[in-house]
């Protein structure tokens, strides 16, 4: 296992020794006690680079790079050590920030980060609005937004670029109409003439996004999007100070297969357009992928977890755009009352109609 004792971001204020944390929407860390600030400095020429997937795969052949390994991290505050697989976490003894500067050997380094752009206060207000706008929510739920704390976390994602060339076979359907007699009446019937076709379509893909962690469901992450990837900056560990950051669990090869599934949907749509006509039947599509590039990017989330009726519920705020997605309970009493009201209205309308006809 890889031990990392010194490769940590120093998150203690030089002036008072308190914790520094990244301030959303800025390029600096701020001390929670004295308000002192430290600028996040990027090296000259620092840029978000993408890497050749083929070159990476060849270099990894036969290695154990994909395995999650515990790492030894030492708190720069109290000196306590802890093991874990996360890139950033809190010290379990003093609450200090543990932020690793570099990944363990063989693991893919984050190339980019979309920093927190939505402050906690704004996220909490968005959370409150979301909670209070839920229909048939229990009355107790309305109070949650006032008391629940939000936890900031970065979720790892892969992005993939590729040049694709796809050969296809299928059928083009062109509609026409015929006159059909039915006794003394005539009517027009639609028919389709099918013609075998084949061809080739090409498409360039850029930044196809694939979640690389099971921390949040893929369905929720899709609903939280789209992410403003143009806000991504070259990765600096300082952006993680004060937030948790999970390591990727989905390996690049598995991520590429998921990306190809996303690309296939767009390619099929291109094939249908290329076939033309009024209807299309797609028989086969064979796609060649070239110049496949990838990178690991960290995307920011505010996450609130609350308990209601003995069950955990989770609400998330996209800390890049402010989009809110979550789960919530329903009030059986409110639903029953609403159904009864609708039934009473229907009965009243029926009685009014019957009375007015007599």
């Amino acid at each position: 296992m890889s031990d990392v004792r010194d490769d940590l971001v120093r998150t203690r204020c030089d002036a008072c020794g308190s914790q520094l944390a990244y301030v959303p929407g800025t390029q600096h860390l701020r001390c929670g006690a004295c308000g002192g600030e430290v600028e996040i400095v990027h090296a000259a020429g620092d840029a978000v680079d993408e890497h050749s997937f083929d070159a990476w795969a060849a270099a990894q052949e036969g290695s154990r790079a994909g395995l999650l390994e515990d790492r030894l991290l030492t708190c720069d505050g109290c000196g306590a050590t802890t093991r874990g697989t996360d890139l950033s976490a809190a010290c379990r003894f003093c609450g200090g920030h543990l932020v690793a500067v570099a990944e363990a050997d063989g693991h893919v380094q984050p190339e980019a980060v979309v920093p927190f752009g939505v402050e906690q206060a704004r996220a909490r207000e968005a959370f409150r609005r979301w909670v209070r706008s839920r229909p048939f929510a229990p009355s107790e739920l309305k109070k949650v937004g006032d008391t629940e704390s939000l936890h900031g976390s970065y979720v790892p994602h892969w992005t993939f670029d590729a040049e694709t060339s796809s050969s296809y076979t299928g059928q083009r359907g062109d509609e026409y109409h015929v006159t059909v007699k039915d006794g003394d009446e005539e009517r027009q019937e639609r028919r389709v003439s099918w013609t075998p076709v084949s061809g080739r379509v090409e498409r360039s893909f850029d930044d196809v996004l694939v979640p690389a962690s099971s921390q949040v469901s893929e369905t929720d992450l899709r609903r939280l999007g789209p992410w403003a990837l143009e806000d991504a900056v070259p990765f600096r560990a300082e952006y993680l100070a004060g937030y948790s950051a999970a390591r990727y669990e989905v390996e690049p090869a598995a991520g590429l297969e998921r990306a190809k599934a996303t690309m296939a949907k767009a390619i099929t749509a291109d094939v249908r357009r290329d076939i033309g006509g009024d209807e299309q039947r797609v028989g086969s599509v064979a796609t060649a992928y070239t110049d496949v590039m990838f990178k690991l990017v960290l995307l920011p989330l505010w996450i609130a977890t609350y308990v209601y009726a003995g069950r955990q519920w989770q609400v998330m705020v996209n800390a890049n755009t402010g989009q809110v997605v979550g789960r919530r309970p329903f009030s059986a009493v409110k639903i029953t009352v609403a159904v009864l009201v609708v039934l009473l209205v229907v009965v009243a309308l029926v009685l009014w109609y019957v009375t007015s006809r007599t």
Side-chain angles (χ1 to χ4, degrees):
M1 291 189 179
S2 301
D3 285 357
V4 180
R5 298 177 183 274
D6 297 320
D7 292 341
L8 294 173
V9 173
R10 299 303 174 186
T11 60
R12 296 282 173 173
C13 176
D14 289 338
C16 69
S18 297
Q19 286 288 294
L20 297 169
Y22 172 69
V23 182
T26 72
Q27 200 168 328
H28 59 257
L29 306 177
R30 180 179 296 155
C31 176
C34 70
E37 295 184 351
V38 177
E39 185 179 2
I40 299 175
V41 180
H42 287 267
D46 208 3
V48 176
D49 296 321
E50 294 173 327
H51 310 285
S52 166
F53 180 83
D54 290 340
W56 176 86
Q60 299 305 310
E61 188 173 354
S63 75
R64 299 172 66 252
L67 298 179
L68 279 172
E69 294 183 344
D70 282 350
R71 309 174 66 195
L72 184 64
L73 300 177
T74 304
C75 178
D76 65 354
C78 68
T81 58
T82 185
R83 286 190 178 276
T85 58
D86 289 348
L87 291 175
S88 181
C91 175
R92 57 182 175 174
F93 296 102
C94 72
H97 307 323
L98 300 173
V99 182
V101 171
E103 267 283 28
D105 292 342
H107 293 140
V108 178
Q109 294 266 33
E111 186 63 44
V113 56
V114 175
F116 274 72
V118 175
E119 294 180 343
Q120 189 178 54
R122 282 178 55 203
R124 181 175 288 111
E125 183 54 39
F127 174 68
R128 289 171 180 162
R129 287 196 303 270
W130 182 89
V131 167
R132 291 166 181 168
S133 65
R134 299 303 94 184
F136 303 117
S139 299
E140 294 89 339
L141 188 62
K142 306 296 183 179
K143 304 173 185 177
V144 170
D146 294 323
T147 59
E148 284 302 307
S149 60
L150 288 164
H151 169 67
S153 181
Y154 284 99
V155 181
H157 284 66
W158 300 112
T159 72
F160 291 93
D161 302 348
E163 298 295 325
T164 64
S165 179
S166 304
S167 58
Y168 68 84
T169 62
Q171 292 179 304
R172 171 188 172 122
D174 295 293
E175 70 173 31
Y176 63 97
H177 294 81
V178 297
T179 301
V180 177
K181 286 191 174 183
D182 185 5
D184 294 333
E185 297 182 355
E186 293 183 348
R187 69 176 187 277
Q188 295 292 307
E189 281 192 357
R190 179 182 181 273
R191 305 284 174 84
V192 178
S193 174
W194 293 99
T195 305
V197 295
S198 61
R200 180 177 296 276
V201 295
E202 297 181 345
R203 174 185 275 260
S204 297
F205 289 93
D206 181 52
D207 284 345
V208 177
L209 200 60
V210 176
S213 170
S214 60
Q215 182 181 17
V216 180
S217 75
E218 263 190 78
T219 300
D220 286 340
L221 287 171
R222 281 196 298 270
R223 292 170 61 203
L224 281 164
W227 300 82
L229 294 180
E230 62 273 15
D231 294 340
V233 298
F235 176 76
R236 293 284 303 178
E238 288 89 341
Y239 288 109
L240 309 187
Y243 307 90
S244 64
R247 255 213 65 228
Y248 64 87
E249 301 167 65
V250 176
E251 291 302 314
L256 178 57
E257 291 309 307
R258 294 189 190 181
K260 286 182 178 180
T262 299
M263 296 178 196
K265 296 176 183 178
I267 291 171
T268 299
D270 288 346
V271 168
R272 291 187 179 279
R273 280 191 293 271
D274 199 59
I275 291 175
D278 300 301
E279 295 184 30
Q280 306 83 33
R281 292 174 177 168
V282 179
S284 64
V285 179
T287 300
Y289 298 85
T290 57
D291 297 330
V292 178
M293 307 293 286
F294 79 113
K295 67 178 179 291
L296 182 63
V297 58
L298 304 182
L299 302 180
L301 276 181
W302 287 108
I303 303 174
T305 302
Y306 59 94
V307 177
Y308 177 79
R311 181 179 169 186
Q312 268 197 348
W313 306 84
Q314 192 176 66
V315 177
M316 289 153 288
V317 181
N318 182 326
N320 176 219
T321 66
Q323 171 76 9
V324 182
V325 166
R327 307 277 192 275
R328 52 70 160 217
F330 288 84
S331 170
V333 173
K334 289 185 177 181
I335 293 174
T336 302
V337 170
V339 170
L340 290 175
V341 169
V342 171
L343 289 175
L344 288 173
V345 170
V346 170
V347 169
L349 290 174
V350 170
L351 290 175
W352 172 83
Y353 177 79
V354 171
T355 301
S356 64
R357 298 287 291 180
T358 59

